[in-house]
Amino acid sequence: MPRENISLAAILWAVIAFLVIYPLSVLIIESLRIAGTNEWGFSNYLAFFRDTYYLKTFWNTMVLSTLVLLTTTIFGIPLAYILARYRHRGKTVFTALILLPIVLPAFAGVFAFIIFFGKYGTLNLLLMQFGLTKVPINFIYGIHGLVFIQSLHLLPFIVLSLSAGFTNIDPSFEEAAEVEGASGFRRFITVTLPLCTPSYLAGAVIVFLWPFTDWLTPLILGKVDYLPSVAYINIAYHFTDMNRKHMGIVAVVVSSIVCILLFVLARRWVERKKYTGLSKGTTSEGRVIEPGPIIRYGSYLYMIIVSFVVLLIPIVLGLSAFSRRWVFEPFPTYWTLDNFKLILLESPLLIKNSFLFSGIALIFGVVFGLLAAYVIVRTRIRGNQTLDFIITLMLAFPGMAVGVSYMLAFWNGIPLATHWIIMPIALFARRLPYFLRMAHSSYLQLDISLEEASEVSGVGKFRTFLYISLPLLLKGVLVGVVMFFIMAFQEISTAIFLYKGGWETLPIGIYLNWHRGMEFGIAAAMAFLMIVITFILLLIISRIGGGILKAAWGPGEK
């Protein structure tokens, strides 16, 4: 085994140990510290599970996760099938719109839907104006609103995973079923859908775990009896009450343990049950079905409805961003550019920090991600699959856990948290899987014989990578770059625990403006600016991504 590969793997492991394993270990150790003493033990955990309120928050979160998963599954299956199997005009635009929620901050959607669906929002005011109702209807406040908002945000995970599954199914399986008389819906239920279960589970586990990580959406809707929201409140607002602070840390650890266990179980099940593949002679597009007129127009109608709901977010936020006030009226009546002037002239630091921190994190991510993908795919070094697993695990790990662990680990002994560099470092560690999955998928699609031929000709590994591998990996790398930047740009769960005055980013600025009760137009302008940037980048992904994006979010290959 080449010595340089061993050295490279050692460096990668050292980075992961320092930026992932060490801070998370500090978090666990801190959760065992007994408040007000120098003793250690499990009394914090015993108190947590004996307290009926914390048990209630835990079960509330489990119920919410189940409802969100059911909702995304019901609406995601037909959407994924349409995008994977039917050819239709405007596919790139529809795909970009449907994938938009995955890269938008969930709290941006909350603000938009409160304005539109709130008790005195646009919809209720229109219904009352037309005499269809006399009192406002509660469309959004409550668990039904939480399920709606979180399901819309997570729908792309199900769509991406199932689209990969539908595309990778060997067409001969379905054709054999049709020969036996199982066609249409029966063939879909008995053959197509079961073959997609590994791909489905790859996205479903992320969907199920999201309510264990999302503290802000319930908080904005006034529903705080959920595990992550309680954890945030206990840590952020009760730092002088050491007992509540430790209960908050315990809540973070419990959420993290649930996420890790479910992620591990799902991954093992997917690896055991992977039984789809493409036959020789088929295209990377998979099986294409020509639907009849009714199904075709019905598919268009379904995609238009979903796209309209998604577009409500930028439309409503855009109207708010360009309005001076929007209270007790269906649509704003006074327009202004003052909100954007305030951002660009008085708060340019938010934009600068967002690009600076995300850009630095991106550089770290590209360098580390390409090297890690090489070690994982191209070498047989012991522990390379473990390295892949630990990095990928960050997808399911709560952002709050990363933020709190960095705050605990890098404040005193290693004072990284006292310097602004902690922000891009935290974004790098948090969002690295988004680049690694793309780079990993690209390496799997690159024929190793091309690299071997170059090395046999006497070209070194670095030059081979620079002149052979990198140009062929470029498509997947570019998709990974854009995806990483988008996810780092909108991160708040980790950054909210680490920022200091002057380090605020756009997501933090949006949250602070809402939290301080200032005019919503300013927060809306910030969110709208983020949406414009994100949507442009998402169009790039949809245009160049192709099979790379689907392969990255499928069940994966070993």
Side-chain angles (χ1 to χ4, degrees), residues 463-483:
R463 290 184 64 192
T464 296
F465 171 79
L466 198 61
Y467 294 109
I468 303 295
S469 304
L470 187 58
L472 296 173
L473 294 171
L474 196 58
K475 181 179 179 180
V477 168
L478 184 57
V479 174
V481 164
V482 177
M483 195 71 180

Side-chain angles (χ1 to χ4, degrees), residues 56-250:
K56 174 187 173 183
T57 62
F58 179 82
W59 290 115
N60 284 350
T61 311
M62 288 291 291
V63 170
L64 179 61
S65 294
T66 304
L67 293 175
V68 170
L69 179 58
L70 288 174
T71 305
T72 53
T73 300
I74 291 171
F75 287 94
I77 289 176
L79 201 55
Y81 193 83
I82 291 169
L83 293 175
R85 291 296 175 85
Y86 300 159
R87 285 177 180 163
H88 45 78
R89 293 182 179 179
K91 185 174 182 177
T92 298
V93 175
F94 279 122
T95 303
L97 287 174
I98 291 165
L99 296 184
L100 184 59
I102 197 177
V103 292
L104 287 182
F107 57 84
V110 181
F111 292 141
F113 290 133
I114 286 176
I115 294 174
F116 191 83
F117 293 110
K119 288 189 177 181
Y120 288 95
T122 298
L123 184 57
N124 268 314
L125 290 174
L126 289 175
L127 290 175
M128 288 188 288
Q129 280 185 9
F130 288 109
L132 298 177
T133 181
K134 293 183 179 180
V135 295
I137 300 172
N138 182 12
F139 288 110
I140 202 71
Y141 292 102
I143 190 170
H144 60 290
L146 265 177
V147 171
F148 167 66
I149 292 171
Q150 292 191 345
S151 298
L152 184 66
H153 180 67
L154 297 167
L155 184 62
F157 283 107
I158 297 294
V159 173
L160 281 172
S161 299
L162 281 175
S163 293
F166 290 139
T167 301
N168 292 334
I169 288 178
D170 190 330
S172 63
F173 295 152
E174 296 179 321
E175 291 166 359
E178 290 169 355
V179 169
E180 295 295 325
S183 59
F185 184 73
R186 184 181 175 191
R187 184 258 304 158
F188 177 78
I189 293 296
T190 58
V191 177
T192 306
L193 203 55
L195 288 173
C196 284
T197 49
S199 295
Y200 164 75
L201 195 60
V205 66
I206 297 177
V207 172
F208 187 85
L209 296 178
W210 175 258
F212 280 91
T213 69
D214 183 15
W215 56 272
L216 187 51
T217 304
L219 202 64
I220 294 173
L221 292 178
K223 301 289 291 184
V224 297
D225 294 339
Y226 294 93
L227 204 56
S229 300
V230 168
Y232 173 76
I233 292 172
N234 280 5
I235 295 173
Y237 293 100
H238 297 282
F239 50 87
T240 57
D241 185 339
M242 297 306 295
N243 183 62
R244 291 195 66 170
K245 175 188 172 183
H246 280 86
M247 285 296 98
I249 294 175
V250 169

